Structures are given as structure tokens and as C-alpha cells.
Amino acid sequence: MSDLTPFHLAFPVHDLEAARAFYRDVLGCRQGRESDTWIDFDLFGHQIVAHYDAAAAARGPLVNPVDGDNVPVPHFGVVLTMTDWDALARRLKADPDTRWVIEPKVRFRGEPGEQATLFILDPSGNALEFKAFADMGQLFAT
């Protein structure tokens, strides 16, 4: 997995300043370039770009059931090491403003693909998932 290159993802937000505060201050992303309509962030080595879209707040949620939870669709995130996932989960649990969809838990316990996972919403309602595997070889388990 050391040959992986960073992914790039652009997503809509209805408030750039709220996005800046969330991604930079809450998630700890380094901020990159910006303009009046977008901001680049470094999300654990990946380039994500918040693009202003005034209509972003009006979209309703869609969910699919996964292992007893209603998982928001679409969502994005990063597979972290267990150490980094634990640190992020603790930081988010300590923040009273965290908008939880699914609080930190282990999914598929004892099955192929067992993983630690959590889902949160950014200020524009974009769903993010952060997950980790005790055995990274289970990432694509069938």
C-alpha cells in the first residue's frame, strides 16, 4: 500500500468560512490554496477542495443500511492507522460541536472486513467516514 498516491476530491459547501473552521480547526487539515469560491485542504495526505455552492444546504440525506446502521450516501473519508483513528475519534468526542451520524464503533466484528468506523457531518451536511483496520489486509476482504 506504500505505492498509493493521494486522491483528489471536490465537494460542495454552502459556507466557506464554516468549512475552513471545520476542516482546518476540527479535523486538523493543513489549508492550501484558496479563492473566493473554493479552499484546498490536506486531509491526511489527500487533496480535498471545498467549493462554494449556495444550494448545498437544501439537499436531503440518503442512507443505506450497513451492519445495523443507516450509512449516509454519498460520503467520503480516509482509512487511517488504528492509532490515528483512535486519536481522531478522541478529538471528535471531546468536541461538543461534532455532528455525529455514527459514533465510533467496530463494524463487522469477528467477520471479514472488521473495522473501526465513525461518521460525522461537516457544516454543510457532507458526510465523512473515517475507518481503520487492526489488520490492513482486511481492507478489501470478501
Side-chain angles (χ1 to χ4, degrees):
M1 296 186 92
S2 62
D3 294 336
L4 288 177
T5 58
F7 69 77
H8 165 80
L9 175 73
F11 58 96
V13 299
H14 68 272
D15 183 330
L16 280 173
E17 289 308 313
R20 180 191 321 274
F22 176 78
Y23 287 94
R24 184 189 63 199
D25 303 336
V26 175
L27 292 183
C29 297
R30 186 176 57 83
Q31 185 180 316
R33 297 173 301 143
E34 68 179 285
S35 80
D36 292 342
T37 59
W38 54 268
I39 305 172
D40 281 350
F41 296 100
D42 175 346
L43 179 68
F44 296 96
H46 302 282
Q47 183 191 42
I48 62 171
V49 186
H51 282 270
Y52 177 72
D53 176 1
R59 296 183 184 96
L62 172 65
V63 297
N64 279 329
V66 177
D67 196 35
D69 292 313
N70 287 324
V71 170
V73 178
H75 65 265
F76 67 93
V78 178
V79 177
L80 302 172
T81 65
M82 195 61 77
T83 300
D84 288 344
W85 185 88
D86 284 332
L88 178 61
R90 282 193 308 274
R91 187 166 71 240
L92 292 170
K93 292 283 278 183
D95 184 344
D97 295 325
T98 297
R99 295 172 57 198
W100 291 103
V101 176
I102 300 171
E103 293 200 23
K105 66 182 284 184
V106 174
R107 170 174 290 148
F108 307 124
R109 190 178 296 278
E111 299 176 32
E114 178 177 310
Q115 60 195 257
T117 186
L118 65 84
F119 281 81
I120 57 175
L121 297 177
D122 77 4
S124 290
N126 293 302
L128 289 87
E129 177 184 21
F130 295 93
K131 62 171 73 176
F133 295 82
D135 174 2
M136 195 61 84
Q138 292 292 300
L139 179 62
F140 296 107
T142 57

